[in-house]
Amino acid sequence: MTRPDASFVEVSSPAWSFWRALLDTCVGAIVGMVFAFVAILVIGIVGEEALSSLYWQVDLDPLFRASMGVILLVGAVLGLTVPFVMVAERYAALRAVEASARDTPDGVAQSSLRAELRSAPAAHLQKTGTVMFWCFAGLGGIWALAVFFTEDLRDDPVNWIALAVFVVLAVAAALVQGLGSRMRERDAAVTGGLEARWTHAVPRANAADAERRRAAAPAVVPPWLVTPSARSVRRVAGGLVTALIVSLGAFMLSVFMRQQCRTCDPVYWDEPIENGIDVLSLGSGAAIALCAALGLIAWTAGLVLQFSREIALARWAADGDPRRVDTGLIQPLLTGNRSMVRLQLGLSALGAAGIVFGVGAIWADWAAMDTQVVLGAAVALLALGLLVGWTDAPRSRRERQRVRDTMFPGDPDVAGILKAQ
């Protein structure tokens, strides 16, 4: 029988922490743009259908139209940069795991990093180059056809400059694809060696944790880990999601009753159906806003609850005394996003939405908003989100490693087996 001498190690490094935080900031920004798009869609339709006088009095239409253009622009920028940030994060993770393997030969990295490194980082670089090449080549081809066969476009030098930009971007994407292809074999050899080592080490580490857990004294789980229970939290979340889906369904029904397709003419009904459409649009829009407000409150409460549990769990494990507890209660605090990472995502989403509406107000010359204050606050929120996620990484590694060293939870991939032992 193989000697169970391996152990699970929380792997981190300053470089990986930075790129991970930057990637999470980008993800939060994408979520914020999606929320901004949905808000513009709902408020715009509800305003035109049920609150038309107030909607046109405030003059939100120019702001929303310009903000849609900002969403397209920012979305394109994120689409170009996020894949490269992800590749850099994967390379930083690979370097951190290699350094940890040299320092702790019998250590096994946490499951999240092992999952990331199942594919070579260069493979993602190659895919990024391939996707970008075909996107730029396709757009450039369409633009070339328009320039060559339309006299007005052919006579404008700006269109030729745009065509040259597409060609340069396509060539750059092809170079990225080639670089990823050349580096892929080398990276695959490294990640394959790590995967082979982990294949043998994970069962040994699980066996070691199970043995240490059986030898440890049983401990009574503090109430802060079980109150409120995970089932109660899921029920609240499920109720909010159900209410949001119903509200969105009612809202889409009101839109469909007014206009059956994008190119169709608006349909006007006899009373009382006409008033019913306005009531349905206004009511469903208000319900969506209420669900959003309740969701924000629930998200904030969940964030505070998780942060409190992380602090309390770290203090409970600070004495270093081995103890046996139900591993299912502590696994979420070891494998899921940290509370500070969730806060980072929220700050980044709010900052991205602020940039969308702030730049949209500038483009539309919308004087009802102090754009300098909005844009300054948005940039500050994005920077604060990045800083929060980056600075929490060392504390996260220390606290999670301390919990592993005192409670021996094993690997989350086999949490059910560990719980039964």
Side-chain angles (χ1 to χ4, degrees):
M1 179 179 295
T2 304
R3 183 170 58 91
D5 54 357
S7 61
F8 291 103
V9 177
E10 290 288 327
V11 176
S12 183
S13 72
W16 178 75
S17 300
F18 169 77
W19 288 109
R20 181 72 248 181
L22 183 59
L23 182 59
D24 288 335
T25 300
C26 294
V27 171
I30 294 173
V31 173
M33 287 200 310
V34 172
F35 285 165
F37 173 79
V38 173
I40 291 173
L41 188 65
V42 172
I43 296 174
I45 294 177
V46 171
E48 288 188 359
E49 290 296 326
L51 301 172
S52 57
S53 59
L54 179 61
Y55 179 78
W56 293 109
Q57 182 179 356
V58 180
D59 198 22
L60 289 173
D61 192 63
L63 173 65
F64 287 169
R65 290 181 182 275
S67 297
M68 285 293 191
V70 179
I71 290 175
L72 292 176
L73 177 61
V74 177
V77 172
L78 288 175
L80 289 174
T81 57
V82 171
F84 292 102
V85 173
M86 186 187 71
V87 171
E89 186 267 340
R90 296 293 171 89
Y91 271 112
L94 181 60
R95 301 294 175 259
V97 169
E98 288 180 312
S100 176
R102 289 191 297 267
D103 297 336
T104 312
D106 291 324
V108 179
Q110 64 267 35
S111 60
S112 59
L113 278 185
R114 301 203 313 269
E116 278 193 13
L117 297 177
R118 284 172 184 164
S119 297
H124 297 285
L125 184 64
Q126 182 182 7
K127 291 178 182 178
T128 298
T130 301
V131 172
M132 288 186 174
F133 171 78
W134 287 111
C135 288
F136 293 138
L139 292 174
I142 295 173
W143 195 267
L145 290 175
V147 171
F148 289 150
F149 292 102
T150 305
E151 184 176 356
D152 293 339
L153 296 178
R154 191 167 57 248
D155 294 337
D156 190 350
V158 175
N159 294 309
W160 291 100
I161 295 175
L163 182 59
V165 170
F166 279 121
V167 172
V168 171
L169 291 175
V171 171
L175 293 176
V176 170
Q177 180 188 13
L179 178 63
S181 179
R182 290 191 298 270
M183 298 173 61
R184 183 172 184 173
E185 184 175 352
R186 183 197 65 185
D187 288 354
V190 177
T191 55
L194 290 172
E195 185 72 22
R197 188 174 69 86
W198 287 333
T199 300
H200 294 89
V202 167
R204 291 163 49 203
N206 277 316
D209 267 14
E211 182 178 338
R212 298 185 187 109
R213 193 166 56 253
R214 284 191 296 266
V220 177
V221 176
W224 38 260
L225 272 181
V226 294
T227 305
S229 65
R231 178 178 297 181
S232 300
V233 174
R234 285 195 297 268
R235 286 178 177 176
V236 172
L240 287 174
V241 170
T242 301
L244 179 61
I245 292 175
V246 172
S247 302
L248 285 173
F251 178 75
M252 296 308 297
L253 177 61
S254 68
V255 174
F256 178 77
M257 293 180 68
R258 174 64 68 199
Q259 190 168 358
Q260 278 72 36
C261 67
R262 180 181 178 86
T263 58
C264 297
D265 294 329
V267 178
Y268 296 96
W269 305 75
D270 296 332
E271 299 295 347
I273 298 178
E274 185 66 27
N275 286 336
I277 294 176
D278 293 340
V279 171
L280 182 62
S281 177
L282 179 60
S284 59
I288 292 173
L290 179 61
C291 289
L294 293 176
L296 179 61
I297 294 173
W299 180 83
T300 304
L303 187 68
V304 173
L305 175 63
Q306 182 180 347
F307 180 74
S308 303
R309 285 179 169 176
E310 289 170 353
I311 295 297
L313 181 61
R315 291 177 178 175
W316 191 48
D319 56 14
D321 292 337
R323 64 204 69 183
R324 184 167 72 248
V325 299
D326 184 353
T327 57
L329 299 176
I330 61 175
Q331 286 289 1
L333 296 177
L334 285 177
T335 60
N337 278 338
R338 295 268 295 181
S339 58
M340 290 297 98
V341 174
R342 294 176 57 193
L343 176 61
Q344 173 192 4
L345 294 172
L347 293 173
S348 303
L350 189 59
I355 288 179
V356 167
F357 291 113
V359 176
I362 293 177
W363 287 4
D365 292 328
W366 203 63
M369 177 188 297
D370 191 338
T371 55
Q372 291 185 350
V373 173
V374 172
L375 289 176
V379 173
L381 287 172
L382 288 169
L384 180 60
L386 174 63
L387 186 63
V388 166
W390 189 11
T391 56
D392 181 65
R395 185 170 66 91
S396 170
R397 189 199 64 78
R398 290 193 304 269
E399 291 181 358
R400 288 183 168 181
Q401 189 62 53
R402 187 179 299 127
V403 172
R404 288 187 180 278
D405 293 340
T406 56
M407 302 177 197
F408 321 111
D411 191 59
D413 292 339
V414 289
I417 299 176
L418 294 173
K419 185 176 180 181
Q421 291 179 344

